[in-house]
Amino acid sequence: MKSLKLTLVTGRTVEQGVEGEHGKLRDEYAEKVAVIELDSEDLGRLGVSAGSPVLVKTAHGEVVLKAIAAKGRHPGIAFAPYSPWVNVVIDSETDGSGMPTYKGIEAEICPTEERVVSLEELIRKHYGLEVDLSKLAGQEVSGGEGGEEQLIKDVVCPFCGCLCDDVEVLVKGGVIVEVRKACAIGSAKFLDHRKERALHPLVRKDGEFVKVSLEEAIEEAAKILANSKYPLLYGWSSTSIEANELGIELAELLGGVIDNTTSVCHGPTVLGVQGVGTVRATLGQIRNRADLIIYWGSNPLNAHLRHLMRYSALARGVFIKGRKDRKVVVVDVRETPAAKMADLFIRVKPGQDYELISALRMAVRELDIEAKEVAGVPVEKIYELAEIMRTAKFGAVFFGVGVTMSPGKDETIENIIRLVQDLNEWTKFVLCPMRGHFNVTGACNVSLWMTGYAFGVDYMRKFPRHDPAIWTVTELLSNGDVDAALIVASDPLAHLPKEAAENLAKIPVVVVDPKFNVTATIAQVFIPSSFVGIEKEGSAYRMDGVSLRMKKVVDPPEGVLSDEEILSLLLEKVRELRGA
Amino acid sequence: MEILIKGGYVFDPINGVKGEKLDIGVKDGKIVEASKIDERSAKVIDASGKVVMPGGVDLHSHIAGAKVNVGRLLRPEDHYISFIKAITGVKRSGTGKTTPTVAPIGYKYARMGWTTVIEPASPPLKTRHTHEELNDIPILDKACFPLVDSNWFVLDYLSKGEVEKCAAFIAWLLDAIKGYALKLVDPGVAELWSLGKGYGLDLDDEIPSFGITPREIITGLCKVNRMLKLPHSIHVHCNRLGIPGNYTTTLETMKALEGMGDGIVIHVTHAQFNSYKGDNWPALRSGAPEIADYVNSHDHVSVDIGQIMFGGATTMTADAPFEFALFHMTPIKKWAGSEVEVESASGIVPFKYKKRSVVNAVQWCIGLELALLIKDPWRVIPTTDHPNGGPFTRYPRLISWLMSKKAREEVFEKINKTAKRRSVLPDIDREYSLYEIAIVTRAAPAKLLGLEERKGHLGEGADADIAIYDLDPAEGAKDPEKIVKAFKYAYCTIKDGEIVVMNGKIAKTTYGRTFYVKSKALGEDLMKEVEEEVKQRFKEWYTIQFSNYIIDESEIRYPEPIVVGG
């Protein structure tokens, strides 16, 4: 049978974002995320047509995904959206950074007769748990009848780190009927927030989920945490600052670990800044002044949809009036949608960002590079980019998980920060991480001001300690270091590498989330919560650190509490159980 | 709870009490006459043989906000070396030495007997962040100063000569983002830094984008400050900070504001960094005598010193080009630069002050010279510009230097000998009394902030913020080590009538208020007109919506508006 050795890159897609917001237990989610994008050339070489299943094998496992044709050209590279399916082939090794290698993985791909398994089958096969998703599927919450129409303006969108705050939401009878100005994913989040809702706390009894009262669920959850020797409190990036503060207090009380999703997105960025510093600017400063925008390993048209219009390439600023006043450069392993609109596209070999950055630092200093090409990029092109950078009046690099997740990790980030610091000898240059979840920047900030560290904080000794090689979600779980977990506003089972996910399924888990997500399927206790930024107000931080007040635009479903309220109850109960 | 503090030596300068043995009563969070307290039911604290002072007030300490948090991010090594453990129900945990987290900030200040602390530099767009951190700092009362000197609205109005409109904008801004006073940092520099320029910006250099000079920004904002009847004067980090020869700029800045009106019209902050003589670093000499002479002969200026303390520090300032320059001067190659649309910029560089360095040794002399040569203790405040000159936790050592010539001489033994020749400090005999210490660390900063009705004294009706130190005024005050020990761990600290520190240990976690200013000095029509103008331009200038810029009172844990000019 034919097979191809390709480089596997996993990442975000619009469909994955939209379907994830709608509900991850639906078949449509599986349909959109259990896929692998292959270049037409590679499809031909494999002899499979788009839509056929293929077997993806790495050193860490194998999984069947549906092959689809890639939109941009990237022969030799296979792209798969983050999902419980593709995670099965991802390694849990983090090289001490806490960050698994989600990108640039050697993979063998071949045609197969097998089909793509359903989520239920996947959970059975890999986590050894029987779940009947049809029983767990959420329900659509109906709204009130009739009622006044109300247009709420300047709503802050609780989806990505862009935190667009100009969204208009039309509410009728307590239901969101229309969303204006938001992107596709943001709109989906507002419009679909009532769909697939889990409304009842659930506790697993004799292997089956049973509906229980909130009091009972809190009691069960508190018992799991209070009886745990070393619990992990994970998630936190899609909830408010206020909820984060309570989460940190709970971790301190329990003597456990609190980690936010930074450890699997921009953890290396944090480590890079710890090492050498940073050069930042708010998005408005960039919009108003930057005549050079570089997207490096970031995919704004799929992950931060309004970024280009509001803040970067296409945005109208005070001194830079739009696309025509700007140069746009894209550095990526594949031709992303943004690459098509760039003045210069630099295709870097997967996993060789560090080498390219080093060469650029040399070129910026006018040093001779002896090789003909570095990281697959001809040296002339490197000198060209260096010249573009040095002669810009104000340059901005937006780097994404394409850089942080590649091998090299924090070393790569330190190098890119050094490049930007170097460039400030000639001109103005800043960089900004493209943070994913709407409040992941806030989760880092509140963790910093309460613990001194942005993520991966241990309280075993009743004061905060930090070491990404020990106290981050992937390390703790894959090493089997924790004996219970509280997951708030996150879905690690859908995003963590195989071993970590497997071990999560072996310990008692409490999930607090507005929707019954993939992680909830393996939970001991599930407590539904309201959506921050839709049903509950709270503070959140944009990717550049600007803090905004999220609005409450509609009431939560009856009986559903906010993360803040649930965590307060948990704190109280744990204190009681621990006799404090 | 009622408290009776019995038999202590009381130092309460605002009420003229100079170490007399007095009883102090506390009821419902306020100071009351001791006779009104029922001794049988009250908590009685025996303060005999001890010193009783109002709670300390720090008017310049970088404790909260975006740049402080980036400082924490930048320095995990600063957090590994210092921590406090949580005790369930009593205190929270935290880490950090020069960039402490919220809990150690509150607790360490309280353990020294300080109860009110001001964050002096907050870019308005990021002030929600500042308030969120202030909310989480235990025990202390707080406030923050918004950065206004490079704000486009300010530059635009002032360059057009529209001082009244500028005042209306400032009144709106203070209320919108819940700020307390106006902070100017190397006035105008952030605007130039947007173009990669600004290092060495002097008083009469033009900022081309607005056709305005730092002198015009300073005088304009000083007028605005007085029009709005703000409780504190403009708070100025002068131009050319950290550049040898800059004492002339500092003198010129103070001169520029002569005749602006009665009382203090400018506070020159961390003046040590702005009192340098000499053409270059190797030739650095003290300019403190000239600065002190000027302050002694003019009553419109107050200063805080910005003392450097040998050891680790984290420099952080809105003076972005200075930090970029410092990045090139220090062997610790870390630099965090940051810029905020329309408003400000900043930089952070970890630093270490070394005893053997000529420059650092001269800097050490300059700070103390300022404190000792300026005669009026009501106008010179000892600070370390935490964490720029060193962490606030070094205040007890600083106090010992002010109070003891012997303590200063001991330092001279250990530092670069050249410093002795380049400064007049060795010839200064002055030693602060405990009464003067009570002025400079409590009464004077409270008064300069315009909080003297409720802070910085122990008269009836004042907030019951009290520090009791285990120090005998007659004997202990002569021994530097006893002074350090007494001020490092207060015997007892009371905040709003609650005992928060006992025997140098945290006894309870409370949360204090955040002060902010509402000025009603201007007419409603003008205020409305300017608000409309701001709204109009907001969309073009900023990337957030006008309505989302405004911080609601509900976002602050215990908001305390100070209404002025009404």
Side-chain angles (χ1 to χ4, degrees), chain B residues 482-513:
Chain B
K482 278 190 180 154
I483 295 167
V484 171
K485 202 177 157 214
F487 279 95
K488 205 166 181 182
Y489 303 113
Y491 169 68
C492 174
T493 305
I494 295 167
K495 171 73 184 20
D496 284 312
E498 295 201 68
I499 296 172
V500 290
V501 173
M502 200 66 214
N503 287 319
K505 290 199 173 110
I506 294 299
K508 188 174 186 181
T509 294
T510 63
Y511 289 89
R513 24 177 119 65

Side-chain angles (χ1 to χ4, degrees), chain A residues 245 274 287 425 539 541, chain B residues 93 132 136 328 334 540 547:
Chain A
E245 287 169 333
Q274 289 180 347
R287 184 201 70 177
E425 306 294 344
S539 176
Y541 287 57
Chain B
S93 65
E132 277 165 358
D136 281 350
H328 293 84
K334 284 195 198 183
E540 190 193 335
S547 73

Side-chain angles (χ1 to χ4, degrees), chain A residues 154-156 165-166 181 241-242 245 248-249 252-253 270 273-285 287-289 310-311 316-319 321 394 418 421 424-425 428 430 444-446 448-454 459 461-464 466-467 539-542 544-549 551 575 580, chain B residues 66-67 69-70 72-77 79-81 83-88 91-95 100-103 125-126 128-130 132-133 135-136 152 190-191 193-197 209 324 327-328 333-342 344 538-549 554-555:
Chain A
D154 299 349
V155 176
V156 183
D165 75 329
D166 61 342
K181 296 187 181 175
I241 292 295
E242 293 82 347
E245 287 169 333
I248 292 167
E249 190 171 354
E252 184 187 84
L253 179 67
V270 169
V273 177
Q274 289 180 347
V276 299
T278 183
V279 195
R280 326 187 298 167
T282 61
L283 295 171
Q285 183 79 342
R287 184 201 70 177
N288 288 342
R289 297 186 184 271
R310 274 176 67 79
Y311 309 124
R316 185 183 169 84
V318 174
F319 302 108
K321 299 294 183 192
F394 194 117
R418 283 293 191 221
Q421 287 177 337
N424 276 276
E425 306 294 344
K428 290 291 291 184
V430 299
C444 285
N445 266 299
V446 64
L448 273 166
W449 81 61
M450 298 193 89
T451 75
Y453 311 109
Y459 276 102
R461 295 192 180 161
K462 287 286 176 189
F463 65 90
H466 163 77
D467 186 336
S539 176
Y541 287 57
R542 203 165 70 173
D544 59 350
V546 171
S547 171
L548 289 159
R549 190 78 184 155
K551 288 190 173 66
R575 267 196 206 108
Chain B
K67 74 178 174 325
N69 226 25
V70 174
R72 296 182 185 116
L73 172 61
L74 196 62
R75 303 213 62 186
E77 73 278 15
H79 295 255
Y80 297 143
I81 55 169
F83 61 85
I84 52 171
K85 283 189 178 190
I87 300 174
T88 306
K91 66 174 184 174
R92 301 289 306 273
S93 65
T95 59
T101 59
V102 286
L125 182 61
K126 290 191 170 179
R128 179 173 279 111
H129 176 167
T130 309
E132 277 165 358
E133 286 195 26
N135 282 342
D136 281 350
W152 285 359
E191 175 59 14
W193 183 242
S194 291
L195 309 170
K197 295 173 183 158
S209 48
F324 188 58
F327 171 50
H328 293 84
K333 280 281 167 240
K334 284 195 198 183
W335 166 54
S338 179
E339 289 171 55
V340 179
E341 64 211 64
V342 188
S344 188
F538 206 89
K539 203 178 160 54
E540 190 193 335
W541 287 0
Y542 282 94
T543 46
I544 70 168
Q545 301 295 106
F546 178 80
S547 73
N548 288 327
Y549 189 78
S554 65
E555 297 180 50

